[in-house]
Amino acid sequence: MNPWPFSARRIRKELTLILLLNLGCYLLFIHWDLFEKLDVWLHQHPASQLDEVLLLSFTLALSMTWFAIRRLREARQLLKALRRQAERDDITGLANRRRANQALQRETERSCRSGRRYSVLLIDLDHFKHINDSHGHLVGDKVLQRFGQVLRQRARQLDTIARWGGEEFIIVCPETEQDGALALAESISQLLRETDFDPALRVTASIGVATLADDDTPDSLVHRADICLYAAKQAGRNQVVGENHSPAPQP
């Protein structure tokens, strides 16, 4: 079910229906010679005010059409703003889980059509609760924002970066095999080590990487990335773990 009461497609559909309705009325008028009959009637009743009424109706129709177009444009702009708000995380400005799920579904369908695999990175900030407890939630929010900037610096423009929930993030990487996804994960870890998160000092992350298999669904793919993420945490955190990639200690 579409959660949005309006959409650009629906607006175009309704405008098309209005156009077809008016065209149908016009064709019926021609088919029954109503224009000629109306003209004859007006000549037979010269004192009638019908011509003034028709003129008023015509100008009113134009005004209402202009009014409707203006309101539709405003509604479309409002719809875009609401959609952006509904698909963005308030703290980091990244996509939220809803949009990430849409990207996962879209890329799974695309992969089925093209045969090209995609990968996901599931990322968890290490000991984030300790940061909140030691420095407060305002600092914690700043760490999340700074980490979002780190992800933007390393991810490609076509990747979807989203806050999955709490201190967990996900990156959906279209047309990316396991090796490319692991390279991205290692690059993120390296940039984290070079980034100043003052006053939180050093911030690290555990990353699980999974690549779409033939029988995968979005849920099963994320589940396998979550298993790799859990393995990274079990290995001491600050690790990158893929399905065919053993954890290695980070400096």
Side-chain angles (χ1 to χ4, degrees):
M1 184 178 67
N2 184 6
W4 294 95
F6 303 103
S7 68
R9 181 179 180 182
R10 181 174 178 180
I11 290 173
R12 290 193 295 269
K13 182 179 179 180
E14 291 180 354
L15 287 175
T16 302
L17 289 175
I18 291 173
L19 177 63
L20 291 175
L21 178 62
N22 282 273
L23 179 61
C25 291
Y26 175 77
L27 293 175
L28 288 175
F29 265 67
I30 292 178
H31 179 73
W32 290 329
D33 294 329
L34 294 182
F35 289 114
E36 293 183 9
K37 294 176 181 177
L38 181 61
D39 184 63
V40 170
W41 190 91
L42 288 173
H43 283 83
Q44 292 176 349
H45 302 81
S48 173
Q49 299 297 314
L50 185 59
D51 51 346
E52 285 83 356
V53 173
L54 289 175
L55 177 61
L56 178 62
S57 299
F58 177 72
T59 57
L60 182 62
L62 287 179
S63 300
M64 291 302 296
T65 300
W66 177 81
F67 177 82
I69 292 175
R70 288 290 300 269
R71 298 293 79 78
L72 286 171
R73 290 179 62 185
E74 292 172 0
R76 187 172 183 178
Q77 292 173 356
L78 177 61
L79 174 64
K80 288 181 179 179
L82 289 173
R83 191 179 294 276
R84 283 195 299 268
Q85 184 177 0
E87 294 179 348
R88 290 287 172 184
D89 174 63
D90 291 337
I91 294 177
T92 63
L94 299 174
N96 60 16
R97 187 164 184 154
R98 177 178 183 271
R99 187 173 170 192
N101 280 322
Q102 292 174 346
L104 287 165
Q105 185 63 44
R106 180 181 66 248
E107 293 306 324
T108 300
E109 293 173 356
R110 180 182 299 174
S111 180
C112 288
R113 294 193 301 268
S114 67
R116 297 177 180 176
R117 302 180 189 276
Y118 76 97
S119 298
V120 297
L121 279 63
L122 201 56
I123 310 167
D124 186 89
L125 288 176
D126 296 329
H127 306 296
F128 184 72
K129 184 178 184 300
H130 176 72
I131 295 175
N132 277 335
D133 292 342
S134 301
H135 304 283
H137 288 279
L138 289 179
V139 171
D141 288 350
K142 289 181 180 179
V143 168
L144 292 175
Q145 293 167 1
R146 189 73 184 93
F147 182 64
Q149 294 171 1
V150 169
L151 296 182
R152 287 193 187 98
Q153 282 182 254
R154 282 296 180 258
R156 302 168 302 176
Q157 192 170 12
L158 57 83
D159 297 334
T160 298
I161 313 168
R163 187 180 178 193
W164 193 243
E167 64 271 23
E168 273 195 349
F169 295 78
I170 191 170
I171 304 180
V172 182
C173 306
E175 299 187 10
T176 305
E177 295 286 350
Q178 180 82 181
D179 289 345
L182 287 170
L184 173 60
E186 295 287 359
S187 178
I188 291 171
S189 291
Q190 178 63 35
L191 183 56
L192 271 180
R193 291 192 289 272
E194 301 168 356
T195 301
D196 182 14
F197 284 88
D198 183 66
L201 302 178
R202 189 166 182 255
V203 174
T204 63
S206 302
I207 307 177
V209 179
T211 302
L212 189 75
D214 292 338
D215 57 348
D216 259 332
T217 65
D219 288 341
S220 65
L221 175 60
V222 173
H223 176 67
R224 289 193 291 104
D226 193 43
I227 292 174
C228 292
L229 175 60
Y230 180 76
K233 292 181 180 180
Q234 289 295 103
R237 293 183 168 84
N238 191 21
Q239 305 278 343
V240 173
V241 175
E243 294 166 300
N244 299 311
H245 178 74
S246 300
Q250 300 291 337

